[in-house]
Amino acid sequence: MTAAVVLALSVATLVVVLGAVLAAVRSGRSRTPSAEAAKQDAAKPDAEPEYFDPRTIKVGDTVHCAGVRFHAVGVLHLSRQGERRTEYLLEDGNRRYQWLSVEELRDQGAGETGHLEVLLWTTVPTEGMVPAKSTLTMDGAEFSPVRRGTVAFRAEGATGMPDRGLLDFVLYHGNDGRLLAFRRPQGGGWAASYAHPLPPGSIRVERRS
């Protein structure tokens, strides 16, 4: 009887020990993914900073960009063959105007959402110039034509243009990195301006109350 009791106790002890080992293994396995996840989270780069979306500017907003405080006095919504662009007419309080254009450029490859191209345009005197089909020289830089065509537009606020219409344009790229654009509402005269790209986060807006 004593031997049987000893054997039973030994088997019970073995079962308890095996149970403890299995529990420890399971516990280790359950902790491992968490540890790995923590390592992966630590290895991930910081999230992209959130910038103001300039496509949400409205007429009447106060816009801070390029170190200047502007008022958004008008908006043009342009479209051409599925492409869309928004342009805001900004006034600095002294009757000096600049256009701010915002367009989402689609990146190559499936699933890519693209990025915003934000350009601040400054009017330049053309003295009766018309857009040439070949390279032209302005302010010591050579500009080569890259695109021309016509876009449909819809206007809001004070833009100096009809509520709706067509806009002819010619776009040039300069050897100094600048963009030069000629454009005219159909039936009107040509106007030209240079583009200066704005980096993300460079625009701040105060909403009209």
Side-chain angles (χ1 to χ4, degrees):
M1 293 294 293
T2 303
V5 171
V6 171
L7 179 60
L9 290 174
S10 299
V11 171
T13 302
L14 180 60
V15 169
V16 171
V17 171
L18 287 175
V21 171
L22 289 173
V25 170
R26 288 173 181 169
S27 176
R29 286 179 178 175
S30 65
R31 287 195 300 267
T32 300
S34 298
E36 290 297 326
K39 290 180 181 179
Q40 291 177 3
D41 290 340
K44 289 180 180 179
D46 294 336
E48 290 293 329
E50 294 184 1
Y51 296 120
F52 172 79
D53 188 343
R55 292 172 296 182
T56 64
I57 295 173
K58 298 179 180 179
V59 174
D61 286 347
T62 298
V63 181
H64 299 263
C65 69
V68 181
R69 184 175 184 268
F70 294 99
H71 295 286
V73 296
V75 184
L76 285 182
H77 303 278
L78 304 111
S79 60
R80 176 177 181 262
Q81 298 177 352
E83 298 178 355
R84 297 184 181 278
R85 187 171 76 254
T86 307
E87 297 188 358
Y88 302 93
L89 184 58
L90 307 179
E91 192 264 332
D92 68 355
N94 294 307
R95 296 188 177 275
R96 289 191 292 264
Y97 298 88
Q98 289 184 260
W99 286 97
L100 178 73
S101 66
V102 184
E103 182 177 5
E104 183 175 357
L105 301 179
R106 295 289 178 177
D107 294 331
Q108 298 296 323
E112 296 292 341
T113 57
H115 65 280
L116 291 183
E117 180 184 65
V118 183
L119 302 170
L120 185 63
W121 297 86
T122 302
T123 302
V124 294
T126 56
E127 298 180 356
M129 289 181 62
V130 296
K133 295 183 179 180
S134 57
T135 300
L136 56 83
T137 301
M138 290 185 67
D139 291 342
E142 291 188 353
F143 292 87
S144 301
V146 292
R147 192 178 4 160
R148 66 173 58 227
T150 302
V151 296
F153 70 84
R154 177 175 60 85
E156 296 179 25
T159 63
M161 296 187 182
D163 291 342
R164 295 178 182 274
L166 297 176
L167 192 69
D168 299 324
F169 73 93
V170 183
L171 182 65
Y172 297 80
H173 188 273
N175 58 7
D176 60 355
R178 287 182 297 173
L179 292 175
L180 171 66
F182 281 81
R183 69 180 192 177
R184 65 178 178 185
Q186 289 192 342
W190 289 103
S193 54
Y194 292 125
H196 302 275
L198 296 177
S202 60
I203 296 176
R204 183 170 59 87
V205 166
E206 299 173 15
R207 296 295 188 195
R208 179 177 56 181
S209 59

